[in-house]
Amino acid sequence: MSREEPECAAALRPLSQISRRRDAMLPRFTYRVGCYDDEPAYALVFRRGYRAGLLTPRRAWRFVGSSLEAIRQGRDLERIAYACGVETEMLTHATFRGSHGDSVHILGHELKYDGVRRQSRYWCPDCFAEQPYHRAAWDVASHTHCVVHRRPL
């Protein structure tokens, strides 16, 4: 088994189980970790991939057959949900999805597209120490401080 294909690559499931296409196969992570209500799809894929031996985000996204850009546009969420063993609705709620024009939907809100951090990652060290996962709210550009700990992101 190569470094690119960790142990989890052997667990393939037919796409027909989750959509109408019958001839495709989808990878599925065998190691399960919890999914949080406010965890975006790209962060969940990286966290699951890291546990499976895919040590970079790009490798994890490639494993599930997607890319960061596709995930940020709200595409491939059904595929990602299947690979991670979670409900698509959970990912839909916490992942930025394009809307009409220059707005996106996240956590039940509609924001201007330029109000979303896309290049840099911000986080609260205290929140991350308590529960090590990325929160979708940290990607909102107007959030400069943690609402829980009142620390700068």
Side-chain angles (χ1 to χ4, degrees):
M1 201 170 292
S2 74
R3 186 112 167 111
E4 288 287 325
E5 296 179 355
E7 184 177 345
C8 59
L12 297 176
R13 302 287 184 265
L15 182 59
S16 62
Q17 292 179 2
I18 61 170
S19 76
R20 298 197 189 284
R21 291 180 51 202
R22 299 191 189 287
D23 55 341
M25 298 290 282
L26 276 182
R28 189 162 193 177
F29 292 112
T30 56
Y31 185 82
R32 297 285 179 243
V33 294
C35 181
Y36 299 94
D37 291 349
D38 59 342
E39 184 174 29
Y42 61 85
L44 175 64
V45 169
F46 174 62
R47 201 163 54 85
R48 294 272 171 101
Y50 188 82
R51 288 287 203 147
L54 301 167
L55 301 180
T56 67
R58 184 166 288 147
R59 284 183 179 171
W61 298 323
R62 199 176 311 141
F63 173 76
V64 297
S66 193
S67 67
L68 177 59
E69 194 57 37
I71 296 169
R72 282 188 176 159
Q73 293 173 4
R75 299 189 329 243
D76 297 337
L77 293 183
E78 185 178 79
R79 170 189 302 262
I80 292 164
Y82 179 80
C84 293
V86 300
E87 296 294 323
T88 305
E89 292 76 27
M90 285 187 78
L91 296 181
T92 302
H93 176 71
T95 302
F96 289 96
R97 295 168 332 283
S99 181
H100 303 287
D102 63 345
S103 63
V104 294
H105 292 278
I106 180 69
L107 300 173
H109 301 281
E110 186 172 342
L111 305 171
K112 288 200 173 279
Y113 187 74
D114 59 359
V116 178
R117 292 185 182 109
R118 294 178 296 279
Q119 300 300 321
S120 302
R121 291 285 150 247
Y122 290 74
W123 66 90
C124 171
D126 293 338
C127 286
F128 206 81
E130 292 169 8
Q131 291 287 338
Y133 74 96
H134 185 81
R135 280 80 165 163
W138 295 343
D139 291 336
V140 176
S142 61
H143 286 199
T144 58
H145 288 74
C146 174
V147 296
V148 176
H149 301 103
R150 306 207 185 280
R151 288 184 62 160
L153 300 178

